[in-house]
Protein backbone atom coordinates (compact mmCIF):
# COMPACT_ATOMS: atom_id res chain seq x y z
CA UNK A 1 0.00 0.00 0.00
CA UNK A 2 0.93 3.67 -0.30
CA UNK A 3 1.41 3.93 3.42
CA UNK A 4 3.83 1.02 3.47
CA UNK A 5 5.76 2.52 0.61
CA UNK A 6 6.15 5.85 2.28
CA UNK A 7 7.28 4.14 5.43
CA UNK A 8 9.88 2.26 3.49
CA UNK A 9 11.15 5.36 1.74
CA UNK A 10 11.22 7.21 5.05
CA UNK A 11 13.30 4.41 6.49
CA UNK A 12 15.64 4.73 3.52
CA UNK A 13 15.83 8.46 4.01
CA UNK A 14 16.64 8.05 7.68
CA UNK A 15 19.27 5.49 6.88
CA UNK A 16 20.94 7.63 4.23
CA UNK A 17 20.91 10.63 6.56
CA UNK A 18 22.55 8.49 9.21
CA UNK A 19 25.21 7.32 6.77
CA UNK A 20 25.83 10.89 5.64
CA UNK A 21 26.28 12.04 9.22
CA UNK A 22 28.68 9.21 9.99
CA UNK A 23 30.66 10.16 6.89
CA UNK A 24 30.72 13.81 7.92
CA UNK A 25 31.85 12.79 11.38
CA UNK A 26 34.59 10.65 9.96
CA UNK A 27 35.84 13.46 7.74
CA UNK A 28 35.72 15.93 10.62
CA UNK A 29 37.76 13.57 12.77
CA UNK A 30 40.41 13.29 10.10
CA UNK A 31 40.65 16.73 8.51
CA UNK A 32 43.13 18.32 10.93
CA UNK A 33 45.49 15.39 10.66
CA UNK A 34 45.08 15.30 6.90
CA UNK A 35 46.07 18.96 6.69
CA UNK A 36 49.06 18.46 8.98
CA UNK A 37 50.29 15.47 7.01
CA UNK A 38 50.09 17.21 3.65
CA UNK A 39 47.14 15.37 2.13
CA UNK A 40 45.73 18.56 0.63
CA UNK A 41 47.34 19.39 -2.68
CA UNK A 42 47.48 22.33 -5.03
CA UNK A 43 46.27 21.64 -8.55
CA UNK A 44 46.68 24.32 -11.18
CA UNK A 45 44.41 25.05 -14.11
CA UNK A 46 46.18 27.25 -16.68
CA UNK A 47 44.67 30.51 -17.90
CA UNK A 48 45.26 31.58 -21.48
CA UNK A 49 45.12 34.95 -23.15
CA UNK A 50 42.58 34.79 -25.96
CA UNK A 51 44.73 37.13 -28.06
CA UNK A 52 47.89 35.01 -28.43
CA UNK A 53 47.09 31.87 -26.40
CA UNK A 54 49.97 32.50 -24.01
CA UNK A 55 49.64 31.08 -20.49
CA UNK A 56 49.47 34.01 -18.11
CA UNK A 57 48.81 32.14 -14.89
CA UNK A 58 46.58 29.58 -13.26
CA UNK A 59 43.86 29.00 -10.71
CA UNK A 60 44.89 27.00 -7.66
CA UNK A 61 42.28 24.32 -6.91
CA UNK A 62 42.46 22.11 -3.85
CA UNK A 63 42.51 18.31 -4.04
CA UNK A 64 42.43 15.91 -1.11
CA UNK A 65 44.86 13.10 -1.72
CA UNK A 66 43.39 10.65 0.76
CA UNK A 67 45.51 7.51 1.22
CA UNK A 68 42.34 5.41 1.53
CA UNK A 69 39.88 7.04 -0.83
CA UNK A 70 42.22 8.43 -3.48
CA UNK A 71 42.18 11.92 -5.00
CA UNK A 72 39.00 13.72 -3.93
CA UNK A 73 37.58 16.74 -5.77
CA UNK A 74 36.58 19.78 -3.71
CA UNK A 75 32.83 19.24 -4.04
CA UNK A 76 33.25 16.19 -1.79
CA UNK A 77 34.61 18.14 1.16
CA UNK A 78 34.49 21.94 0.67
CA UNK A 79 30.74 22.19 1.38
CA UNK A 80 31.27 20.43 4.74
CA UNK A 81 34.32 22.60 5.48
CA UNK A 82 32.20 25.68 4.75
CA UNK A 83 29.73 24.45 7.36
CA UNK A 84 32.28 23.73 10.07
CA UNK A 85 34.66 26.59 9.30
CA UNK A 86 37.65 24.43 8.39
CA UNK A 87 37.62 25.94 4.90
CA UNK A 88 39.42 28.96 6.35
CA UNK A 89 42.40 26.79 7.22
CA UNK A 90 42.33 25.12 3.81
CA UNK A 91 42.24 28.45 1.98
CA UNK A 92 45.11 29.84 4.03
CA UNK A 93 47.07 26.64 3.46
CA UNK A 94 46.50 26.93 -0.31
CA UNK A 95 47.48 30.61 -0.23
CA UNK A 96 50.74 29.84 1.55
CA UNK A 97 51.48 26.90 -0.77
CA UNK A 98 51.02 29.25 -3.74
CA UNK A 99 53.38 31.83 -2.19
CA UNK A 100 55.97 29.12 -1.67
CA UNK A 101 55.58 28.06 -5.29
CA UNK A 102 55.89 31.61 -6.62
CA UNK A 103 59.03 32.08 -4.51
CA UNK A 104 60.51 28.90 -5.94
CA UNK A 105 59.74 30.00 -9.49
CA UNK A 106 61.36 33.38 -8.82
CA UNK A 107 64.54 31.70 -7.63
CA UNK A 108 64.77 28.74 -9.99
CA UNK A 109 62.59 29.08 -13.03
CA UNK A 110 62.96 32.11 -15.26
CA UNK A 111 60.10 31.02 -17.47
CA UNK A 112 57.57 31.11 -14.66
CA UNK A 113 58.32 34.44 -13.05
CA UNK A 114 55.46 36.33 -14.68
CA UNK A 115 52.63 34.06 -13.63
CA UNK A 116 49.64 35.31 -11.69
CA UNK A 117 48.06 32.59 -9.55
CA UNK A 118 44.55 32.85 -8.19
CA UNK A 119 43.38 31.34 -4.91
CA UNK A 120 39.77 30.74 -3.88
CA UNK A 121 38.66 32.35 -0.63
CA UNK A 122 35.47 31.39 1.14
CA UNK A 123 33.16 34.20 2.22
CA UNK A 124 33.94 33.21 5.84
CA UNK A 125 37.22 35.13 5.48
CA UNK A 126 35.30 38.30 4.76
CA UNK A 127 34.31 38.45 8.43
CA UNK A 128 37.94 38.82 9.45
CA UNK A 129 39.10 42.44 9.34
CA UNK A 130 42.69 41.30 9.80
CA UNK A 131 42.67 39.15 6.65
CA UNK A 132 44.56 41.67 4.46
CA UNK A 133 47.35 42.08 7.04
CA UNK A 134 47.53 38.32 7.60
CA UNK A 135 47.91 37.64 3.88
CA UNK A 136 50.43 40.43 3.46
CA UNK A 137 52.51 38.95 6.30
CA UNK A 138 52.63 35.65 4.39
CA UNK A 139 53.65 37.26 1.08
CA UNK A 140 56.32 39.24 2.94
CA UNK A 141 57.65 36.07 4.53
CA UNK A 142 58.10 34.53 1.08
CA UNK A 143 59.15 37.84 -0.50
CA UNK A 144 56.33 37.69 -2.98
CA UNK A 145 54.76 40.74 -4.58
CA UNK A 146 50.99 40.63 -3.86
CA UNK A 147 50.50 41.57 -7.53
CA UNK A 148 51.33 37.97 -8.39
CA UNK A 149 48.29 36.76 -6.49
CA UNK A 150 44.60 37.00 -7.25
CA UNK A 151 41.95 36.43 -4.61
CA UNK A 152 38.81 34.78 -6.04
CA UNK A 153 35.58 35.58 -4.20
CA UNK A 154 32.37 33.90 -5.29
CA UNK A 155 29.71 36.27 -6.53
CA UNK A 156 26.82 34.88 -4.51
CA UNK A 157 28.62 35.60 -1.25
CA UNK A 158 29.60 39.22 -1.83
CA UNK A 159 27.34 42.10 -0.99
CA UNK A 160 28.32 45.59 -1.92
CA UNK A 161 26.24 47.00 0.94
CA UNK A 162 28.24 45.06 3.51
CA UNK A 163 30.58 47.81 4.71
CA UNK A 164 33.00 45.46 6.42
CA UNK A 165 33.28 43.20 3.38
CA UNK A 166 33.98 46.12 1.07
CA UNK A 167 36.55 47.49 3.50
CA UNK A 168 38.41 44.18 3.61
CA UNK A 169 38.38 44.04 -0.18
CA UNK A 170 39.66 47.61 -0.37
CA UNK A 171 42.56 46.78 1.93
CA UNK A 172 43.47 43.72 -0.11
CA UNK A 173 43.44 45.87 -3.21
CA UNK A 174 45.53 48.60 -1.52
CA UNK A 175 48.17 45.99 -0.69
CA UNK A 176 48.32 45.07 -4.38
CA UNK A 177 46.38 41.81 -4.50
CA UNK A 178 44.15 41.33 -7.52
CA UNK A 179 40.53 40.59 -6.71
CA UNK A 180 38.20 38.62 -8.92
CA UNK A 181 34.52 37.89 -8.73
CA UNK A 182 34.14 34.16 -9.32
CA UNK A 183 31.14 32.36 -10.83
CA UNK A 184 29.72 35.67 -11.99
CA UNK A 185 26.20 35.23 -13.29
CA UNK A 186 25.37 32.13 -11.30
CA UNK A 187 23.61 33.95 -8.48
CA UNK A 188 22.27 37.28 -9.74
CA UNK A 189 23.98 38.65 -12.80
CA UNK A 190 23.78 42.33 -12.06
CA UNK A 191 26.88 44.31 -12.86
CA UNK A 192 25.35 47.00 -10.71
CA UNK A 193 26.49 45.09 -7.63
CA UNK A 194 30.05 45.54 -8.84
CA UNK A 195 29.82 49.30 -8.89
CA UNK A 196 31.24 49.78 -5.42
CA UNK A 197 33.43 46.71 -5.30
CA UNK A 198 37.18 47.08 -5.78
CA UNK A 199 37.36 43.98 -7.97
CA UNK A 200 39.47 44.13 -11.11
CA UNK A 201 38.64 40.77 -12.66
CA UNK A 202 35.32 39.18 -13.56
CA UNK A 203 35.07 35.41 -14.03
CA UNK A 204 32.01 34.51 -16.05
CA UNK A 205 30.40 31.33 -14.76
CA UNK A 206 30.69 28.27 -16.95
CA UNK A 207 26.91 27.88 -16.99
CA UNK A 208 26.86 30.73 -19.52
CA UNK A 209 28.80 28.74 -22.06
CA UNK A 210 27.10 25.42 -21.71
CA UNK A 211 24.57 26.08 -24.47
CA UNK A 212 25.18 29.68 -25.36
CA UNK A 213 26.99 29.54 -28.67
CA UNK A 214 24.04 27.97 -30.44
CA UNK A 215 21.57 30.17 -28.62
CA UNK A 216 20.97 33.72 -29.85
CA UNK A 217 19.69 35.11 -26.54
CA UNK A 218 22.53 33.55 -24.61
CA UNK A 219 24.99 35.11 -27.04
CA UNK A 220 23.46 38.53 -26.52
CA UNK A 221 23.68 38.23 -22.75
CA UNK A 222 27.34 37.25 -22.88
CA UNK A 223 28.10 40.01 -25.37
CA UNK A 224 26.48 42.70 -23.25
CA UNK A 225 28.16 41.44 -20.09
CA UNK A 226 31.54 41.59 -21.80
CA UNK A 227 30.81 45.11 -23.01
CA UNK A 228 29.68 46.30 -19.58
CA UNK A 229 32.70 44.68 -17.93
CA UNK A 230 34.93 46.57 -20.36
CA UNK A 231 33.16 49.85 -19.51
CA UNK A 232 33.88 49.16 -15.84
CA UNK A 233 37.55 48.43 -16.67
CA UNK A 234 37.24 44.84 -15.52
CA UNK A 235 39.36 42.08 -17.00
CA UNK A 236 37.13 39.21 -18.14
CA UNK A 237 37.83 35.52 -17.69
CA UNK A 238 35.64 32.86 -19.31
CA UNK A 239 35.47 29.76 -17.14
CA UNK A 240 34.59 26.33 -18.46
CA UNK A 241 35.48 26.93 -22.10
CA UNK A 242 35.17 23.52 -23.74
CA UNK A 243 34.78 23.96 -27.49
CA UNK A 244 36.48 25.63 -30.44
CA UNK A 245 33.19 27.45 -31.19
CA UNK A 246 33.12 28.99 -27.71
CA UNK A 247 36.72 30.11 -28.11
CA UNK A 248 36.03 31.76 -31.47
CA UNK A 249 32.92 33.49 -30.15
CA UNK A 250 34.46 34.78 -26.91
CA UNK A 251 37.58 35.96 -28.66
CA UNK A 252 35.55 37.88 -31.20
CA UNK A 253 33.49 39.50 -28.44
CA UNK A 254 36.60 40.74 -26.68
CA UNK A 255 36.84 38.41 -23.69
CA UNK A 256 40.38 38.60 -22.28
CA UNK A 257 41.22 35.27 -20.68
CA UNK A 258 40.17 31.65 -21.14
CA UNK A 259 40.12 28.90 -18.55
CA UNK A 260 38.60 25.57 -19.49
CA UNK A 261 38.99 21.98 -20.58
CA UNK A 262 39.39 23.09 -24.21
CA UNK A 263 42.83 24.39 -23.27
CA UNK A 264 43.73 22.40 -20.17
CA UNK A 265 42.30 20.62 -17.15
CA UNK A 266 43.59 21.23 -13.62
CA UNK A 267 46.95 19.47 -13.21
CA UNK A 268 49.59 18.99 -10.57
CA UNK A 269 52.37 21.53 -10.11
CA UNK A 270 55.01 19.59 -12.03
CA UNK A 271 52.74 19.11 -15.01
CA UNK A 272 52.02 22.84 -15.01
CA UNK A 273 55.71 23.75 -14.89
CA UNK A 274 56.44 21.38 -17.77
CA UNK A 275 53.53 22.72 -19.80
CA UNK A 276 54.71 26.33 -19.50
CA UNK A 277 58.32 25.45 -20.30
CA UNK A 278 57.31 23.34 -23.31
CA UNK A 279 55.04 26.06 -24.60
CA UNK A 280 57.79 28.69 -24.39
CA UNK A 281 60.24 26.38 -26.12
CA UNK A 282 57.89 25.83 -29.05
CA UNK A 283 56.89 29.51 -29.28
P1 LIG B 1 35.62 27.38 -9.14
O1 LIG B 1 36.44 28.24 -8.25
O2 LIG B 1 34.60 28.04 -9.97
O3 LIG B 1 36.66 26.57 -10.03
C1 LIG B 1 36.44 26.18 -11.36
C2 LIG B 1 35.94 24.75 -11.42
O4 LIG B 1 35.50 24.49 -12.76
C3 LIG B 1 37.02 23.70 -11.14
O5 LIG B 1 36.41 22.59 -10.51
C4 LIG B 1 37.48 23.32 -12.53
O6 LIG B 1 38.06 22.04 -12.61
C5 LIG B 1 36.16 23.37 -13.27
N1 LIG B 1 36.36 23.56 -14.71
C6 LIG B 1 37.29 24.29 -15.34
N2 LIG B 1 37.17 24.26 -16.67
C7 LIG B 1 36.10 23.46 -16.92
C8 LIG B 1 35.44 23.03 -18.13
O7 LIG B 1 35.83 23.38 -19.24
N3 LIG B 1 34.36 22.22 -17.97
C9 LIG B 1 33.91 21.82 -16.76
N4 LIG B 1 32.85 21.03 -16.71
N5 LIG B 1 34.50 22.21 -15.60
C10 LIG B 1 35.58 23.03 -15.69
P2 LIG B 1 36.97 21.95 -9.16
O8 LIG B 1 38.46 21.95 -9.15
O9 LIG B 1 36.27 20.65 -8.96
O10 LIG B 1 36.51 22.99 -8.05
C11 LIG B 1 35.15 23.17 -7.77
C12 LIG B 1 34.92 24.32 -6.83
O11 LIG B 1 35.45 24.04 -5.53
C13 LIG B 1 35.61 25.60 -7.26
O12 LIG B 1 34.87 26.24 -8.28
C14 LIG B 1 35.62 26.37 -5.95
O13 LIG B 1 34.37 26.99 -5.72
C15 LIG B 1 35.82 25.26 -4.94
N6 LIG B 1 37.26 25.23 -4.56
C16 LIG B 1 38.28 24.61 -5.17
N7 LIG B 1 39.44 24.83 -4.49
C17 LIG B 1 39.13 25.62 -3.45
C18 LIG B 1 39.90 26.20 -2.37
O14 LIG B 1 41.12 26.05 -2.24
N8 LIG B 1 39.20 26.97 -1.47
C19 LIG B 1 37.84 27.17 -1.58
N9 LIG B 1 37.25 27.92 -0.64
N10 LIG B 1 37.11 26.64 -2.56
C20 LIG B 1 37.74 25.88 -3.49
MG1 LIG C 1 37.51 29.88 -8.55
MG1 LIG D 1 33.83 29.29 -6.93
MG1 LIG E 1 34.21 29.67 -10.89
Amino acid sequence: SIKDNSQISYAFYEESMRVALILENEIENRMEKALASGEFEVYLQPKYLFSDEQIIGAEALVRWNDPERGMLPPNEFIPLFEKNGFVKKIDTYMFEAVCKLLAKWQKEMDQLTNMIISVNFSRLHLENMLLPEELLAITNRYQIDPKMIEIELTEGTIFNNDVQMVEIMNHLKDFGFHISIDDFGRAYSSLNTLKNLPADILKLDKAFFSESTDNARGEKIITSMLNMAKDLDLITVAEGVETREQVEFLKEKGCDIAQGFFYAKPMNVFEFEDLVKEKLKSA
Side-chain angles (χ1 to χ4, degrees):
S1 73
I2 292 172
K3 188 165 171 266
D4 288 342
N5 264 335
S6 71
Q7 265 167 357
I8 289 171
S9 63
Y10 186 72
F12 267 119
Y13 174 74
E14 257 195 333
E15 177 60 13
S16 61
M17 284 291 285
R18 206 179 59 84
V19 170
L21 281 176
I22 290 173
L23 243 174
E24 286 195 355
N25 256 318
E26 204 179 288
I27 293 178
E28 286 185 315
N29 288 334
R30 300 183 44 242
M31 60 193 188
E32 293 278 2
K33 222 181 125 221
L35 182 60
S37 58
E39 289 178 25
F40 293 99
E41 254 182 54
V42 174
Y43 265 52
L44 296 172
Q45 186 178 28
K47 295 185 197 176
Y48 293 73
L49 277 182
F50 272 111
S51 57
D52 60 5
E53 306 210 319
Q54 285 306 299
I55 298 174
I56 52 140
E59 174 172 9
L61 295 157
V62 68
R63 297 290 182 265
W64 185 350
N65 195 354
D66 186 315
E68 277 159 41
R69 291 174 298 165
M71 198 65 101
L72 304 179
N75 63 1
E76 291 190 26
F77 54 89
I78 290 288
L80 174 63
F81 292 174
E82 293 256 2
K83 251 197 294 177
N84 65 25
F86 193 65
V87 70
K88 287 195 278 184
K89 283 198 185 169
I90 293 290
D91 293 348
T92 308
Y93 175 83
M94 292 289 286
F95 180 89
E96 182 158 355
V98 163
C99 289
K100 211 182 282 182
L101 194 56
L102 288 166
K104 177 185 120 185
W105 289 345
Q106 248 170 12
K107 282 199 199 85
E108 303 167 10
M109 298 185 181
D110 279 353
Q111 307 103 313
L112 286 117
T113 47
N114 293 322
M115 296 288 143
I116 293 179
I117 306 295
S118 63
V119 184
N120 292 282
F121 270 75
S122 155
R123 73 171 163 81
L124 294 181
H125 293 282
L126 296 178
E127 291 161 8
N128 173 17
M129 291 302 284
L130 294 177
L131 179 74
E133 278 79 10
E134 287 171 6
L135 296 188
L136 188 67
I138 298 174
T139 53
N140 283 340
R141 182 141 42 85
Y142 289 94
Q143 296 181 295
I144 287 302
D145 187 340
K147 285 193 170 51
M148 303 171 81
I149 297 179
E150 171 185 331
I151 310 287
E152 294 198 13
L153 301 166
T154 298
E155 181 217 18
T157 61
I158 306 168
F159 306 101
N160 66 353
N161 56 359
D162 184 323
V163 179
Q164 181 179 309
M165 227 179 232
V166 175
E167 198 175 318
I168 292 171
M169 289 173 74
N170 273 317
H171 280 154
L172 287 169
K173 177 113 193 214
D174 289 343
F175 288 151
F177 294 105
H178 298 282
I179 299 176
S180 59
I181 308 299
D182 199 1
D183 306 326
F184 186 75
R186 190 184 294 179
Y188 45 86
S189 33
S190 160
L191 279 166
N192 196 39
T193 55
L194 300 180
K195 217 168 41 185
N196 304 315
L197 294 181
D200 42 18
I201 300 161
L202 197 63
K203 299 192 75 177
L204 303 180
D205 193 60
K206 50 182 171 288
F208 278 118
F209 313 115
S210 48
E211 82 252 29
S212 56
T213 38
D214 47 61
N215 170 327
R217 286 172 67 84
E219 280 189 10
K220 279 186 188 156
I221 292 172
I222 294 173
T223 306
S224 74
M225 278 201 310
L226 289 172
N227 289 337
M228 281 190 282
K230 197 164 289 169
D231 284 345
L232 291 170
D233 288 323
L234 295 166
I235 293 169
T236 46
V237 181
E239 258 190 323
V241 177
E242 291 182 354
T243 67
R244 162 77 54 199
E245 291 71 38
Q246 290 168 341
V247 168
E248 300 294 330
F249 174 77
L250 288 161
K251 189 175 173 180
E252 187 205 312
K253 297 300 177 187
C255 188
D256 301 303
I257 295 164
Q259 182 187 342
F261 294 173
F262 177 78
Y263 287 103
K265 290 192 172 173
M267 57 189 76
N268 73 35
V269 166
F270 304 111
E271 290 170 322
F272 180 77
E273 291 171 350
D274 286 345
L275 178 73
V276 174
K277 285 189 237 167
E278 277 307 311
K279 211 161 181 307
L280 286 176
K281 230 187 281 169
S282 64

